């Protein structure tokens, strides 16, 4: 982070995902870069939701969203954005989107 390389890498991976939003490797790399930057869910969940709303069948974006809640010691139930996230996901689950249904289960388990 001393040379701001993480920030440049985040910009690069964001442009990569814009060109190919279904690419799971791009989303995985974004997660890795965000860990290097110590970014929090509050900054990244909206990125995932934007991609999901553009294409609810984007399994890679759903996986990225879930990665912010899986294996976390944080309790997101009190997070002020969690209600909006849950409402968005619930709306998509009503359309029988399998990824949304999986996300609801994960969100309720965190």
């Amino acid at each position: 982070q001393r040379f701001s390389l993480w920030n440049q890498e985040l910009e690069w991976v964001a442009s990569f995902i814009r060109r190919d939003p279904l690419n799971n490797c791009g989303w995985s790399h974004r997660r890795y870069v965000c860990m290097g930057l110590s970014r929090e869910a509050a900054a990244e969940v909206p990125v995932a939701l934007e991609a999901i709303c553009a294409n609810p069948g984007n399994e890679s974006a759903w996986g990225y969203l879930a990665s912010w809640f899986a294996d976390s010691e944080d309790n997101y139930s009190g997070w002020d954005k969690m209600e909006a996230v849950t409402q968005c996901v619930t709306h998509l689950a009503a359309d029988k989107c399998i990824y949304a249904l999986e996300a609801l289960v994960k969100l309720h388990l965190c």
Side-chain angles (χ1 to χ4, degrees):
Q1 189 158 348
R2 180 175 165 196
F3 300 107
S4 299
L5 296 178
W6 285 117
N7 288 323
Q8 292 174 12
E9 190 71 9
L10 184 60
E11 290 174 22
W12 177 84
V13 78
S15 70
F16 180 81
I17 290 171
R18 276 193 299 278
R19 286 190 306 266
D20 186 6
L22 302 178
N23 190 310
N24 193 54
C25 292
W27 287 101
S28 294
H29 188 62
R30 184 179 180 99
R31 184 69 166 110
Y32 174 77
V33 171
C34 287
M35 287 175 15
L37 285 168
S38 300
R39 285 176 66 95
E40 297 191 12
E44 289 301 306
V45 167
V47 173
L49 290 176
E50 182 179 336
I52 288 166
C53 289
N55 179 1
N58 184 343
E59 184 177 9
S60 299
W62 282 107
Y64 185 71
L65 175 67
S67 76
W68 286 98
F69 302 107
D71 302 325
S72 175
E73 295 178 9
D74 297 328
N75 180 357
Y76 290 100
S77 61
W79 187 41
D80 63 341
K81 305 270 189 250
M82 185 53 79
E83 185 177 341
V85 171
T86 304
Q87 286 177 351
C88 175
V89 173
T90 302
H91 173 72
L92 292 168
D95 291 335
K96 307 222 183 324
C97 176
I98 188 70
Y99 307 121
L101 295 169
E102 290 175 7
L104 277 178
V105 170
K106 290 175 184 177
L107 289 171
H108 287 289
L109 291 177
C110 73

